[in-house]
Each structure stands twice: as structure tokens, then as C-alpha cells.
Amino acid sequence: MCRSIKTLRPPALPEEATEEDILAAALQFVRKVSGFRAPAAHNQEVFDRAVDEIAEATARLLDGLEVRGAPVRTS
């Protein structure tokens, strides 16, 4: 696991993850998997698309998780 990606669910994160938190984690994941900190111009589109798709999947995951023993979300 990439050590710079933090856990984004309670109780590790006391409040809901923000869109910024999710995008940062997605970017770190894509950087780790691709091996590029910043892609070359000819790879920028696919790199950015991967970040967006992973951020969307992460948001869906966090919305669907049920963490037992954690306070009930009211949103």
C-alpha cells in the first residue's frame, strides 16, 4: 500500500472525507501505479482520467461503507 494515502473513513478520519481528500488519495494511487509523479504531455489525458475515475469510485465506496460501532451518519 502507498504509505502516503491516508484512510478516509471513520474513525481514522473523524469527519467525512472532503472531495479534496478523495482527489489527493486518487492522485497518489495513480502516481504509485503508473510510476510517474507527473505524466508526459502525451499521457496527461489518460492520467487525469484515471485520477477522476478512481476519485469517483472512492466516493461511492465511502458512501456505501457501513462501519459498525461508528456514529451513524445523518447525511
Side-chain angles (χ1 to χ4, degrees):
M1 173 169 209
C2 187
R3 298 188 190 283
S4 59
I5 299 175
K6 65 183 179 179
T7 301
L8 297 180
R9 65 161 181 80
L13 194 64
E15 67 282 347
E16 280 192 36
T18 64
E19 185 176 338
E20 184 177 285
D21 293 329
I22 293 170
L23 280 171
L27 177 59
Q28 286 300 104
F29 179 81
V30 172
R31 285 176 173 168
K32 183 70 167 186
V33 170
S34 70
F36 296 112
R37 185 177 187 322
H42 63 276
N43 286 325
Q44 188 69 54
E45 184 179 337
V46 71
F47 190 92
D48 291 343
R49 187 171 51 242
V51 171
D52 290 342
E53 290 173 0
I54 291 167
E56 289 172 10
T58 300
R60 285 192 307 272
L61 171 67
L62 292 173
D63 285 343
L65 285 176
E66 176 186 334
V67 181
R68 297 196 174 167
V72 175
R73 290 175 42 187
T74 58
S75 58

